[in-house]
Amino acid sequence: RKEVEQDPGPFNVPEGATVAFNCTYSNSASQSFFWYRQDCRKEPKLLMSVYSSGNEDGRFTAQLNRASQYISLLIRDSKLSDSATYLCVVNRVGSNYQLIWGAGTKLIIKP
Amino acid sequence: DGGITQSPKYLFRKEGQNVTLSCEQNLNHDAMYWYRQDPGQGLRLIYYSQIVNDFQKGDIAEGYSVSREKKESFPLTVTSAQKNPTAFYLCASRSTRQGVNTEAFFGQGTRLTVV
């Protein structure tokens, strides 16, 4: 089993819709979780950190489910500019320094 | 402006050549990383460094070498021993003083092609 797994998609979603995707992680002791956004041929940029209590930033909501070992990202009222690949990131247990990256979920918002 | 600068943006290498990718940061971050990304894949860790004059192998270190002589700089050399070097290379840095929930900042990447 991979340490971090994501559905590669693509998710094709009409503009204005709500879309959600999950990311599963294998080590229950993981402590740090992030969602990054990567545009085509660009570097990843932080979208949001994921906290135990869940967190929201505008149209984006991230949640952590420790019992089932997954994090989720919900995007409401999707915009064309939300089209990108969304990368899930988890710290490697035993190391504050190493991050493990999922392969990403590709999201395409259609007009 | 603080940030990470990678150069060059595009690099072409002949078979059998060593090439060095530059990464400089002025964020005063202790930790620096090199990742490789292939099309449709996630980021794979090549090397990382927690402090000056120290670095650790990542998951795919074979065929690569690094140095960390200054806090600001973490160059990556792709040697001729790396048989399939064509990829997108990303350098990142991260503060390690504020606990585990600190984000990684990336340079704009170097796209290396073997010709």
Side-chain angles (χ1 to χ4, degrees):
Chain A
R1 182 185 174 186
K2 288 185 180 178
E3 291 179 274
V4 176
E5 288 196 81
Q6 295 184 253
D7 183 338
F11 284 50
N12 290 284
V13 174
E15 191 176 8
T18 295
V19 59
F21 25 84
N22 293 338
C23 164
T24 59
Y25 60 94
S26 61
N27 196 317
S28 60
S30 296
Q31 294 180 292
S32 301
F33 308 91
F34 306 90
W35 283 106
Y36 276 72
R37 171 195 169 124
Q38 186 175 25
D39 293 296
C40 188
R41 302 177 74 84
K42 299 283 190 181
E43 76 275 21
K45 293 185 179 177
L46 180 70
L47 180 65
M48 54 202 310
S49 302
V50 186
Y51 302 114
S52 296
S53 55
N55 46 305
E56 187 175 312
D57 183 3
R59 298 183 292 108
F60 298 84
T61 301
Q63 290 195 316
L64 168 63
N65 185 316
R66 283 199 182 274
S68 300
Q69 292 180 215
Y70 72 86
I71 63 172
S72 63
L73 180 67
L74 178 80
I75 306 174
R76 290 181 297 277
D77 187 25
S78 53
K79 313 290 185 191
L80 295 176
S81 58
D82 294 333
S83 297
T85 296
Y86 291 83
L87 302 170
C88 166
V89 190
V90 178
N91 76 293
R92 178 160 278 164
V93 176
S95 169
N96 282 346
Y97 301 98
Q98 290 194 49
L99 299 173
I100 308 166
W101 295 75
T105 295
K106 187 169 185 177
L107 175 64
I108 301 171
I109 306 298
K110 297 186 170 181
Chain B
D1 285 337
I4 302 180
T5 303
Q6 283 187 246
S7 62
K9 191 171 181 181
Y10 299 97
L11 185 58
F12 297 90
R13 188 194 96 168
K14 291 182 180 178
E15 297 225 14
Q17 269 186 341
N18 291 355
V19 290
T20 297
L21 284 57
S22 169
C23 178
E24 304 277 333
Q25 56 100 358
N26 60 5
L27 299 167
N28 199 32
H29 287 168
D30 292 309
M32 295 188 74
Y33 307 80
W34 273 105
Y35 291 97
R36 170 181 172 141
Q37 187 176 35
D38 294 284
Q41 306 291 317
L43 277 64
R44 292 187 291 167
L45 182 64
I46 304 172
Y47 270 97
Y48 68 102
S49 169
Q50 302 170 15
I51 197 170
V52 175
N53 291 323
D54 184 55
F55 47 83
Q56 311 295 327
K57 291 183 179 180
D59 300 315
I60 55 164
E62 186 175 350
Y64 300 98
S65 66
V66 293
S67 63
R68 187 89 186 272
E69 297 176 1
K70 299 186 300 181
K71 188 175 186 178
E72 300 80 17
S73 179
F74 192 41
L76 173 75
T77 297
V78 184
T79 75
S80 56
Q82 171 49 242
K83 297 306 177 190
N84 186 22
T86 295
F88 188 40
Y89 290 87
L90 287 157
C91 178
S93 72
R94 191 170 175 225
S95 170
T96 56
R97 298 181 186 182
Q98 298 166 8
V100 297
N101 259 4
T102 56
E103 67 176 287
F105 292 84
F106 285 86
Q108 291 187 318
T110 294
R111 206 163 287 278
L112 174 63
T113 304
V114 173
V115 296

